[in-house]
Amino acid sequence: MGGKASGSTPAELEEALGRGWVVVSINYRLSPGVLLSDIVSDIQDAYAWVRTKLVSKVNIDPDNIIIFGGSAGGGATVISGFKLSPKPKALFAFYPYCTDFTNGFAYNPLTPLNQTLVEEAQKLETPILTKYWPSGNDDPYGTLARSLIHQHMGGWLLATHDPNASPKSIEATLANYSAVLNIDADYPPTYLCHGLNDILVPYS
């Protein structure tokens, strides 16, 4: 599962295929605009399809499935460790969010935003786009800038469509998807990789 709207890199695919692994790239609904539970539901559906349907067409051992993802896909990979059943054999997560989502990583777009925070975040957009998306770059959306703005607006994980939802109910929903609050002794073996100078996803 890739970050932004992209999948794994060619180097990652070549490494997996070179080991004789079967690689399955799945699609799932993306934020913003869908509930966090919708994203996880899509991943659960894809996992079940691989285990029950694809195994009849491709030589796959359903008891030896590894989940791999980077960035947003890395976060989804970490969540899959406690949201998939049966549990995957192992997880490979590159620069994922492993944080407590209740700590400022969610917002409800149907409620008023803090305009001061929005204006402060928008000031960051131009220098970030200039550095990471120079003229001629084929990414017209400025994903990094938009993601950073979302962080300053309070996050991008949508817990509910209900504009009247209480902070307590939103917190309870997000806690249900926060890796640091759900990892236990039965959690799959996990490989985490993160750069110390990541300006978008904090490594700590």
Side-chain angles (χ1 to χ4, degrees), residues 18-67:
R19 293 172 177 267
W21 296 353
V22 175
V23 178
V24 180
S25 179
I26 68 169
N27 286 329
Y28 54 93
R29 286 168 286 181
L30 303 175
S31 295
V34 300
L35 299 179
L36 178 56
S37 58
D38 294 331
I39 298 172
V40 174
S41 178
D42 288 349
I43 296 170
Q44 291 170 328
D45 288 345
Y47 184 68
W49 178 81
V50 169
R51 287 183 49 83
T52 62
K53 302 295 184 182
L54 190 60
V55 289
S56 65
K57 304 177 183 298
V58 180
N59 184 22
I60 294 176
D61 181 351
D63 295 321
N64 282 290
I65 295 177
I66 296 173
I67 308 296

Side-chain angles (χ1 to χ4, degrees), residues 68-126:
F68 171 90
S71 193
T77 296
V78 170
I79 292 174
S80 74
F82 58 90
K83 285 296 184 182
L84 295 181
S85 181
K87 294 184 182 298
K89 186 74 171 181
L91 308 175
F92 281 70
F94 285 74
Y95 35 95
Y97 267 106
C98 299
T99 188
D100 178 357
F101 290 146
T102 66
N103 187 23
F105 285 89
Y107 74 103
N108 188 331
L110 300 180
T111 59
L113 295 172
N114 185 322
Q115 190 59 37
T116 300
L117 287 179
V118 173
E119 292 173 358
E120 290 178 356
Q122 287 173 338
K123 295 176 184 177
L124 301 173
E125 181 174 4
T126 298

Side-chain angles (χ1 to χ4, degrees), residues 114-193:
N114 185 322
Q115 190 59 37
T116 300
L117 287 179
V118 173
E119 292 173 358
E120 290 178 356
Q122 287 173 338
K123 295 176 184 177
L124 301 173
E125 181 174 4
T126 298
I128 290 175
L129 284 175
T130 300
K131 182 175 181 180
Y132 291 96
W133 277 274
S135 178
N137 190 284
D138 60 1
D139 183 350
Y141 302 106
T143 308
L144 179 59
R146 289 192 296 108
S147 296
L148 189 58
I149 288 173
H150 285 159
Q151 287 190 53
H152 281 73
M153 285 164 44
W156 59 86
L157 299 176
L158 183 58
T160 177
H161 287 304
D162 180 6
N164 299 313
S166 69
K168 189 172 183 178
S169 68
I170 292 176
E171 181 176 323
T173 298
L174 291 171
N176 191 38
Y177 296 97
S178 299
V180 295
L181 303 179
N182 289 279
I183 292 176
D184 57 22
D186 294 326
Y187 193 78
T190 303
Y191 175 83
L192 296 174
C193 180

Side-chain angles (χ1 to χ4, degrees), residues 1-8 25 28 30 70:
M1 294 180 281
K4 300 184 290 185
S6 62
S8 301
S25 179
Y28 54 93
L30 303 175

